[in-house]
Amino acid sequence: MYKASCLCGGVQIRIKQEIQNIYVCYCKQCQKAQGSAFVAIAPIDLKNLQIYEGQM
Ligand SMILES: [Zn+2]
C-alpha cells in the first residue's frame, strides 16, 4: 500500500496495488497542467484508490 497527500496535507490518499510502470510525459498538455517541463505518471486502477482525508 502507498500513502500520499497534497502539499498542505488536506487531501490524503491510499493506493492499494503495486505500481507497475512509471511514465514521464512532456507533451504540451502535461506541461501546462503541471507547470513543469514534464510530469511523472503511474497508472493505477481507480478501484484501488481511496481518498481518506479531504476531497478532490
Ligand atoms: Zn502528456
Side-chain angles (χ1 to χ4, degrees):
M1 181 184 335
Y2 298 93
K3 293 181 179 179
S5 71
C6 63
L7 192 58
C8 75
V11 177
Q12 297 185 33
I13 63 168
R14 290 187 187 108
I15 299 170
K16 297 178 182 177
Q17 76 175 64
E18 288 297 319
I19 293 175
Q20 301 293 323
N21 299 303
I22 299 173
Y23 302 97
V24 175
C25 186
Y26 53 88
C27 77
K28 288 293 180 195
Q29 183 178 358
C30 288
Q31 289 178 342
K32 288 181 178 180
Q34 300 302 312
S36 178
F38 63 90
V39 61
I41 303 164
I44 62 165
D45 195 336
L46 277 181
K47 71 179 183 201
N48 295 324
L49 173 68
Q50 178 189 17
I51 301 169
Y52 67 95
E53 186 73 39
Q55 295 179 338
M56 294 179 78

